[in-house]
Amino acid sequence: MTDPQQALTTLLSGALAAAFGPGYADADPVIRPSQFADYQANVALALARRLNRAPRDVAAELASHLVDSDLLETVEVSGPGFINLTLRDDWIAAEAARQLGDPRLDVPAADPAQRIVVDYSAPNVAREMHVGHLRTTIVGDSVVRVLEYLGDVAIRANHIGDWGTQFGILLEHLLEVGEEQANDQLAAGEINAFYQAANAKFKADPSFAERSRLRVVALQAGDPETLRLWTTLINDTKKYYNSIYARLGVTLTDADLDPESFYNAMLADVCDELQAKGVAVISDGALCAFPPGFTGRDGAPLPLILRKSDGGYGYATTDMAAIRYRIRDLHANRLIYVVGAEQAQHFAMVFAVARQAGWLTDEISAEHAAIGLVTGADRKRFRARSGRSVKLIDLIDQAVGRAEEVIKDRYDDPELRAQIAEAVGIGALKYADLSVDRESGYVLDFDRMLALTGNTGPYLQYATARIRSIFRRAGIEPGSVTGPIRLTETAGGSGGSSPRGSLPASLKQARGRGKRRYMRSGTGMPSRPSPVSRTRRVSAERASLLWRVGSSAACRTGHCS
Ligand code: ARG
């Protein structure tokens, strides 16, 4: 099975050597997806200087060595020296057929299979999940699904924040509000209001503040009544997360909880071990590790604080305990942390210290799968108009509401309409999240993510519905179709040959009309505007087929995360 990009790279390397001499065979041909062909090779621009020739000249010479390939339909020099490459239809068809013929769709199994802890979602108890948690949840869940499909053992770790001094304040507030009312408020997702009210009291009322401090001590000492109250607080917020997970179709369950509190009992020992190994030292009364290579602005070594001078432990200590536990007790050989990019330095330091301690070895990898920021149009962290952070559930509701708006005239049955709006709205949100590089931020724009054209969830859903409608009209079960795959529409709509096999008339008709237009009737969806063409635009179907062929090959070579 061949990844088109790889096949083209090999082809271009040969052409480079033939055109300019063997010394050029390992120049990177810079193959990229193209808007105007399937791919483009940008190497001529980079080589022009080295060869002291005009880029277009270099491109033309290179192109002349490509014309006879059985991989390529057309080779065109365009712009300042790009080489546009269009693959042969029969090559794509053969690759697609080969994938389809394989029960695993040509995705190879992981060999050897690994035990991989994937730390994701990780909201904080009694704090509202924000839009950043939406992303870590969706991306993390996709990572887990991919790994499981590959045959790895994925251990989901929802490292929720359920421990720390703020719980004294929250528990005292819970007692004052009354358990029942607090339960209702939290399970309904009124988490910010609860948290803010608790903090306001803490600031305004010294006796409340004092009780809160005592409550933390009681919590840490394992006082049964305090633990019971703390558990209700957690259960209430858990209900809220779970309702969000269910709506998003995320696979996390309570069995995947890996809360900060779980590591509480290990913190003292982790500190002792790090100190005994000389990895951590006392500095200004606090126990700190100073992993090499990390310095602050003033050039002074940067500490990872393990135990504060008052004896308290923090976020970093818990992460040190977690990494040791995941390696030693869970026997993981790969750790993936799907967490916001703003925590990059924290994880780099945690990994460095774990390496110094000998927990992380060359056989075990630890990766921070950094997630870029979701922003509003102002490119700042996405917030509501009021400036407050947006409740995740409101965001989901808004996506679904907007989707309903888009489809409202198309379905009379309110139940069906609601069902479709939920699928389209949530699909749009998830697709928008997954279709951008995980590290780049993106602007949350409902209009764009819900658009029926372009690279959106609704467009994919629409394309699927359209294909299924063709089958339905033809009276054919999609799974029952066999036979060779042929591509009969070329990218520019320059006509396609008829397939040799015979198709039912209705299917033929549907396909004939479908060329570069899009079916109007039956689906109730608008036709797509005709493609903008400079040279020629690649159809979305063709691009996604290529993507499919390429990505399964990428999975095989381990480049699909
Ligand atoms: N609860 C943290 C937050 O909301 C994320 C935890 C990520 N995982 C970890 N092992 N530190 O920012």
Side-chain angles (χ1 to χ4, degrees):
M1 174 70 231
T2 325
D3 174 352
Q5 235 156 312
Q6 232 149 44
L8 288 171
T9 300
T10 310
L11 186 69
L12 263 287
S13 300
L16 279 163
F20 309 116
Y24 288 83
D26 8 314
D28 176 3
V30 201
I31 309 285
R32 298 283 181 268
S34 167
Q35 264 189 322
F36 304 109
D38 293 326
Y39 292 95
Q40 61 189 54
N42 300 346
V43 59
L45 295 134
L47 270 193
R49 186 177 291 186
R50 191 165 146 196
L51 292 163
N52 201 15
R53 288 170 58 178
R56 266 192 83 92
D57 257 17
V58 175
E61 178 153 359
L62 202 49
S64 73
H65 288 270
L66 293 170
V67 283
D68 287 334
S69 155
D70 52 6
L71 195 64
L72 293 171
E73 183 75 49
T74 60
V75 179
E76 278 166 4
V77 175
S78 101
F82 303 118
I83 306 174
N84 290 345
L85 304 165
T86 302
L87 295 165
R88 287 176 59 117
D89 288 351
D90 51 6
W91 186 85
I92 300 174
E95 290 304 321
R98 194 153 41 219
Q99 288 194 343
L100 197 60
D102 179 350
R104 285 185 52 85
L105 297 173
D106 208 38
V107 176
D111 181 25
Q114 290 186 299
R115 280 176 75 74
I116 307 175
V117 172
V118 186
D119 182 316
Y120 70 105
S121 191
N124 301 309
V125 166
R127 296 298 297 268
E128 181 56 61
M129 278 174 97
H130 56 69
V131 71
H133 290 122
L134 173 75
R135 253 197 124 183
T136 59
T137 303
I138 291 174
V139 173
D141 209 51
S142 305
V143 168
V144 161
R145 287 167 192 254
V146 169
L147 294 174
E148 286 181 337
Y149 188 77
L150 289 172
D152 288 309
V153 177
I155 303 168
R156 295 162 172 76
N158 190 0
H159 191 67
I160 60 167
D162 68 341
W163 202 247
T165 46
Q166 73 275 24
F167 282 89
I169 304 170
L170 294 165
L171 290 174
E172 279 308 310
H173 180 59
L174 180 131
L175 282 171
E176 287 200 355
V177 175
E179 278 184 52
E180 206 160 308
Q181 202 191 324
N183 288 354
D184 292 347
Q185 199 181 1
L186 289 167
E190 298 295 326
I191 298 178
N192 280 347
F194 186 87
Y195 190 83
Q196 280 156 8
N199 275 302
K201 266 193 225 161
F202 182 76
K203 285 201 190 111
D205 179 352
S207 78
F208 180 88
E210 184 51 28
R211 272 180 282 140
S212 303
R213 272 190 279 273
L214 292 174
R215 189 58 72 183
V216 180
V217 177
L219 180 65
Q220 280 166 350
D223 168 56
E225 174 60 7
T226 304
L227 277 180
R228 185 188 67 77
L229 289 171
W230 172 77
T231 309
T232 55
L233 200 64
I234 308 235
N235 285 342
D236 292 336
T237 21
K238 242 161 43 184
K239 266 187 217 149
Y240 174 62
Y241 311 148
N242 284 338
S243 68
I244 289 189
Y245 294 153
R247 270 187 91 182
L248 292 174
V250 161
T251 58
L252 283 170
T253 68
D254 283 356
D256 306 311
L257 288 173
D258 175 61
E260 290 183 12
S261 59
F262 173 71
Y263 297 101
N264 186 43
M266 305 172 201
L267 302 180
D269 184 58
V270 161
C271 287
D272 289 348
E273 182 178 338
L274 290 173
Q275 199 170 5
K277 285 183 163 161
V279 175
V281 293
I282 301 287
S283 166
D284 284 335
L287 183 69
C288 303
F290 295 94
F294 293 88
T295 47
R297 277 217 195 106
D298 52 0
L302 212 57
L304 188 75
I305 300 173
L306 298 166
R307 195 176 57 225
K308 288 180 268 181
S309 51
D310 67 4
Y313 301 110
Y315 185 59
T317 329
T318 307
D319 262 326
M320 290 315 302
I323 199 167
R324 190 182 75 170
Y325 177 80
R326 291 167 183 182
I327 294 170
R328 262 196 209 166
D329 300 76
L330 297 179
H331 305 292
N333 39 29
R334 185 174 174 192
L335 309 169
I336 302 176
Y337 294 77
V338 186
V339 185
E342 67 282 2
Q343 295 192 35
Q345 176 163 288
H346 165 76
F347 285 111
M349 292 177 83
V350 166
F351 299 162
V353 175
R355 208 161 282 125
Q356 286 182 295
W359 302 338
L360 260 184
T361 62
D362 288 348
E363 285 71 53
I364 303 166
S365 73
E367 297 144 74
H368 174 206
I371 301 295
L373 202 63
V374 181
T375 63
D378 59 359
R379 310 258 158 185
K380 299 209 181 98
R381 190 188 276 280
F382 186 79
R383 288 184 186 286
R385 286 238 172 85
S386 63
R388 302 247 300 266
S389 64
V390 180
K391 287 171 61 175
L392 203 51
I393 197 74
D394 291 346
L395 203 76
I396 295 173
D397 284 340
Q398 206 175 334
V400 171
R402 298 267 197 123
E404 178 138 27
E405 200 52 30
V406 174
I407 61 165
K408 72 171 184 291
D409 300 329
R410 301 205 169 95
Y411 304 93
D412 295 330
D413 177 358
E415 215 167 287
L416 180 66
R417 197 166 57 216
Q419 213 182 332
I420 293 176
E422 182 85 7
V424 172
I426 288 177
L429 203 59
K430 289 177 82 166
Y431 189 82
D433 219 283
L434 291 170
S435 58
V436 287
D437 186 59
R438 69 170 157 73
E439 282 191 82
S440 7
Y442 69 90
V443 177
L444 191 100
D445 176 347
F446 283 112
D447 291 332
R448 205 172 53 200
M449 71 171 74
L450 284 164
L452 295 172
T453 59
N455 189 15
T456 66
Y459 177 67
L460 271 191
Q461 288 173 321
Y462 168 50
T464 309
R466 214 182 63 193
I467 292 165
R468 296 199 62 98
S469 124
I470 294 172
F471 280 105
R472 198 165 51 242
R473 286 152 168 239
I476 302 173
E477 252 314 300
S480 70
V481 179
T482 56
I485 293 175
R486 287 195 196 90
L487 271 64
T488 58
E489 291 176 30
T490 56
S494 55
S497 55
S498 257
R500 260 165 280 144
S502 77
L503 285 168
S506 53
L507 189 53
K508 261 190 199 155
Q509 185 199 5
R511 200 198 29 227
R513 292 188 344 175
K515 177 195 282 190
R516 274 267 154 249
R517 281 202 223 116
Y518 291 80
M519 287 190 5
R520 258 168 233 271
S521 56
T523 57
M525 297 294 238
S527 68
R528 262 167 51 109
S530 56
V532 208
S533 79
R534 266 222 300 228
T535 14
R536 50 195 201 168
R537 275 270 200 189
V538 179
S539 76
E541 287 85 349
R542 186 176 170 98
S544 68
L545 184 61
L546 284 175
W547 181 82
R548 175 71 196 92
V549 168
S551 61
S552 116
C555 271
R556 183 172 42 94
T557 52
H559 293 297
C560 64
S561 67

